[in-house]
Amino acid sequence: MIGYLIRRLLYSIPILVGVCFLTFVLFYMTASPGEIARRNLSAKNPTAQQIKDWEHQHGYDKPKWKQFLDTTEGLFLLRLGRSDSVKGERVMTRIKESWFPSFEIAVLSFGAAITINLSLALVVAYFRGTYLDIYGTSLCVFMMSVTYLVYIIGGQFVFGRLLKLTPVAGFLPGWESLRFAFLPVVVAVISGMGASVRQFRTFMLDEMNQDYVRTARAKGVSEPQVLFKHVLKNAAIPVLTTSVQAIPGLFLGSILLESFFNIPGLGNYLVDAINSQDFAVVRAMVFIGALVTIVGYILTDISYALVDKRVRLE
Amino acid sequence: MIPFKSLLTFSNLVPLLAIIIVLGGIKRSGRQPLWAEAYRRLGRNRAAIFSLAVIGIYCCIAVLDSITWKSNTLAQPESVITHLFHAMHVKSERTYSAPFAKMTTGEPHPHPLKGWHVLGTDGSGNDVLLQTLRGCRTSIIIGGFTSLLITPVAVLLGMLAGYFGHRVDDIIQYLYTTLGSVPGILLNIAFLLVLGPGLVNLCFALGITSWVDLCRLVRGETLKHRDREYVRAARALGVRDLRILVNHILPNILPVVIITVTLNFSSLVLSETILSYLGIGVPAGTGSWGNMIDAARLELARDPIIWWNLTAASTALFILVLALNVFSDALRDAVDPRLRSS
């Protein structure tokens, strides 16, 4: 297993270089350094000299391949550098400031979603074949068919404007943040509910058709016992792996949710950086995002091997 | 009178061509026992037939909206639907008006309306029903064209990677793992910034992110079939690799591909609204449910709440996506009963 991990980590190096290259190419296709300089210089009409100075200061005057090598090397050593914007703050400082809102919302919605979805799936699987099951699965398909936007706009309208229970958008630090996190978490849970419950139900029903379940029933084990003791344990494997896959998303925060609810988290930071064409920030954040995603995949494999003894990592 | 010559333009013939290809494909595949059996099972499923009819209606509207011609009453070449609304004297108003209202809303001194609007009018006075109908074309194109773009690429690369293994597999896996490691929405944004706004560019940007899953799936399926006896027998008989791939493996993985593509269709349609919300969706002027829902953000905060714009667009979207979901589930059950969801 250690050998497998080392090989996976080594394999992730070319992938990360590829990600850096992709970001680099895409960014040079959208904007030239001159344009970025003009946008970020404080002077209204910068002279050619000012633009040159700015490019020199941010390292955009070197040959392209040198720029690529320098920045990629910096990212691999986790020297994230400074933002290209006027203030020129360190990317690391911003990450330290804004990781918490992303983390809070992500952890809350992840925990709430997995608890609720798993319980609902258990209920639906327990009552399989009855009207509850049929209506439940139909409701899941209905919920899958509503766009994310309607959940967000509807949630803001109902909770924020009509009932005035929660703020419509924004964020405050400390305990106050829970009030602001409530609505995004509800939207995240509800928008993912339909697909997840249906998927978890399929996992459970797959297990219910196995021979060991028939044996357990034949031995006279009661139906709830079969469901909660035998089936749940075995269905936990696919449930776990699909859930671990969601962990990378926890770090960058749901990019969409943060920009919709104006939460000053990492996802919002990234979207702002794209819109203001702040290459230094985009580069760093995409790198971190890719790093976390790859680590997430490796974690998925490990958790798979830990839960299911039949799986061997080679 | 419709001037016949202006009907024969490129943009008018493309949708018709697409329909002929799809219908031809269905008719031809019906001769094969697997598909004939699948169609029979599908035909017995009432929900599937109903949702197929709904999708058909949306497609019809999309096609009607794609056929344009010039006339002396309208300056630009306009579609059948716009001509129809024009003929029914549905005129543009000054600003918002509620469904069936006689006066405009949101003005200090309401003006009487020139016409009659079943679903009201939006901020610039356009009929909401017309806007909603025009959104069909955008959605169908985004789902259909993107699927058409990614399917050949993903199937080809996935089959090559799965069949040849070694170096080819490494390169293709590297390609899609790298793309898959970047958050999808960022890639979409970046590609749209590079390509510039536009309906076709939007399809390309969505295609970049959505071929990865299909390619991974096809690779896995090909890997499974590569060592089956029938493939080994073919190889022993001296059949060349290309022939094995096209004649033997492709027909066997095609059901899985078609199921995945139809399941993916609805998520493509849904992602259009999200990109529109981020301001990088379809350009203004093209009918789009995403833009209509996006506008509702501000409209719900106005004093007389403007709800009809949001309701019309999201209902139209909901019905289409629901029909697509129900149909693709039924198709999956019909083609491969082992994959049954229930």
Side-chain angles (χ1 to χ4, degrees), chain B:
Chain B
M1 231 1 253
I2 301 169
F4 182 70
K5 216 169 140 195
S6 66
L7 270 175
L8 286 174
T9 59
F10 180 69
S11 59
N12 292 341
L13 292 179
V14 169
L16 289 177
L17 217 65
I19 294 174
I20 291 168
I21 291 174
V22 170
L23 288 181
I26 293 173
K27 189 138 197 287
R28 259 200 77 170
S29 66
R31 285 188 217 144
Q32 289 173 353
L34 170 79
W35 288 100
E37 175 63 27
Y39 293 142
R40 213 171 16 252
R41 269 193 231 123
L42 206 58
R44 280 204 298 263
N45 189 337
R46 228 180 287 161
I49 294 302
F50 186 70
S51 41
L52 189 63
V54 172
I55 298 170
I57 292 171
Y58 273 84
C59 287
C60 282
I61 296 171
V63 169
L64 284 182
D65 199 26
S66 303
I67 297 171
T68 55
W69 72 85
K70 249 184 173 148
S71 76
N72 22 5
T73 44
L74 296 161
Q76 303 244 308
E78 292 287 359
S79 70
V80 178
I81 294 183
T82 321
H83 279 284
L84 211 68
F85 271 74
H86 203 78
M88 291 194 308
H89 300 286
V90 179
K91 297 216 174 69
S92 279
E93 307 293 344
R94 294 167 57 91
T95 179
Y96 291 113
S97 66
F100 298 111
K102 295 215 163 52
M103 297 293 221
T104 55
T105 358
E107 285 184 310
H109 305 289
H111 285 72
L113 293 181
K114 284 178 240 163
W116 191 68
H117 302 279
V118 182
L119 291 177
T121 54
D122 67 3
S124 36
N126 296 316
D127 188 75
V128 171
L129 181 62
L130 177 61
Q131 299 296 319
T132 312
L133 291 179
R134 291 185 61 195
C136 294
R137 177 169 173 265
T138 309
S139 292
I140 298 282
I141 286 181
I142 282 176
F145 188 58
T146 313
S147 303
L148 277 182
L149 277 177
I150 63 166
T151 313
V153 178
V155 169
L156 180 72
L157 289 181
M159 275 173 57
L160 289 179
Y163 187 76
F164 290 109
H166 305 300
R167 215 24 77 72
V168 184
D169 191 18
D170 288 342
I171 294 171
I172 293 171
Q173 267 203 67
Y174 174 72
L175 207 66
Y176 70 62
T177 321
T178 307
L179 273 177
S181 301
V182 183
I185 190 87
L186 290 185
L187 271 184
N188 288 338
I189 298 175
F191 270 90
L192 276 171
L193 285 176
V194 174
L195 299 169
L199 190 54
V200 176
N201 292 348
L202 188 65
C203 293
F204 276 105
L206 285 172
I208 289 289
T209 49
S210 51
W211 71 278
V212 172
D213 287 334
L214 184 61
C215 187
R216 195 175 282 147
L217 180 87
V218 172
R219 176 182 167 274
E221 286 293 312
T222 314
L223 216 55
K224 226 164 56 188
H225 282 279
R226 188 181 64 176
D227 293 322
R228 292 264 169 95
E229 264 139 28
Y230 73 94
V231 176
R232 273 200 243 157
R235 216 177 289 144
L237 286 170
V239 182
R240 277 189 300 164
D241 287 335
L242 189 71
R243 231 183 131 80
I244 293 182
L245 276 177
V246 175
N247 285 7
H248 297 271
I249 296 185
L250 186 62
N252 279 302
I253 60 171
L254 210 53
V256 184
V257 171
I258 289 175
I259 292 164
T260 316
V261 170
T262 43
L263 283 172
N264 199 27
F265 199 101
S266 57
S267 56
L268 286 171
V269 174
L270 285 177
S271 53
E272 184 260 330
T273 56
I274 290 169
L275 291 177
S276 297
Y277 187 95
L278 290 174
I280 48 169
V282 197
T286 325
S288 148
W289 296 328
N291 288 342
M292 289 169 79
I293 296 176
D294 181 30
R297 244 188 319 167
L298 304 171
E299 288 166 355
L300 284 178
R302 293 172 73 103
D303 188 21
I305 297 167
I306 314 290
W307 50 268
W308 45 91
N309 215 351
L310 172 70
T311 316
S314 49
T315 310
L317 179 64
F318 172 71
I319 294 173
L320 175 62
V321 175
L322 183 65
L324 284 169
N325 279 338
V326 171
F327 178 71
S328 49
D329 271 358
L331 184 69
R332 178 182 55 190
D333 293 350
V335 173
D336 194 346
R338 281 170 308 165
L339 295 174
R340 242 167 210 289
S341 55
S342 50

Side-chain angles (χ1 to χ4, degrees), chain A residues 11 14-15 17-19 22 26 29-30 141-150 152-154 156-157 161-162 198 201-202 205 252 255-256 259-260 270-271 274-275 277 286 289-291 293-294 297, chain B residues 170 173-174 177-183 185-187 189-191 193-194 216 263 270 273-274 277-278 290 293-294 296-297 300-301 305 310 314 317-319 321-323 325-326 329 332 340-342:
Chain A
Y11 182 62
I15 291 175
V17 174
V19 169
L22 188 69
L26 278 178
M29 283 167 83
T30 46
V141 180
F142 270 70
M143 288 175 77
M144 279 163 66
S145 309
V146 176
T147 156
Y148 206 55
L149 283 187
V150 168
I152 291 173
I153 296 176
Q156 285 179 334
F157 185 70
R161 293 236 160 74
L162 282 186
R198 223 165 72 114
R201 173 182 169 276
T202 319
L205 290 189
L252 268 186
I255 294 171
L256 289 170
S259 74
F260 290 139
L270 183 51
V271 171
I274 290 178
N275 287 334
Q277 297 189 327
V286 169
L291 189 67
T293 312
I294 291 170
Y297 282 135
Chain B
D170 288 342
Q173 267 203 67
Y174 174 72
T177 321
T178 307
L179 273 177
S181 301
V182 183
I185 190 87
L186 290 185
L187 271 184
I189 298 175
F191 270 90
L193 285 176
V194 174
R216 195 175 282 147
L263 283 172
L270 285 177
T273 56
I274 290 169
Y277 187 95
L278 290 174
I293 296 176
D294 181 30
R297 244 188 319 167
L300 284 178
I305 297 167
L310 172 70
S314 49
L317 179 64
F318 172 71
I319 294 173
V321 175
L322 183 65
N325 279 338
V326 171
D329 271 358
R332 178 182 55 190
R340 242 167 210 289
S341 55
S342 50

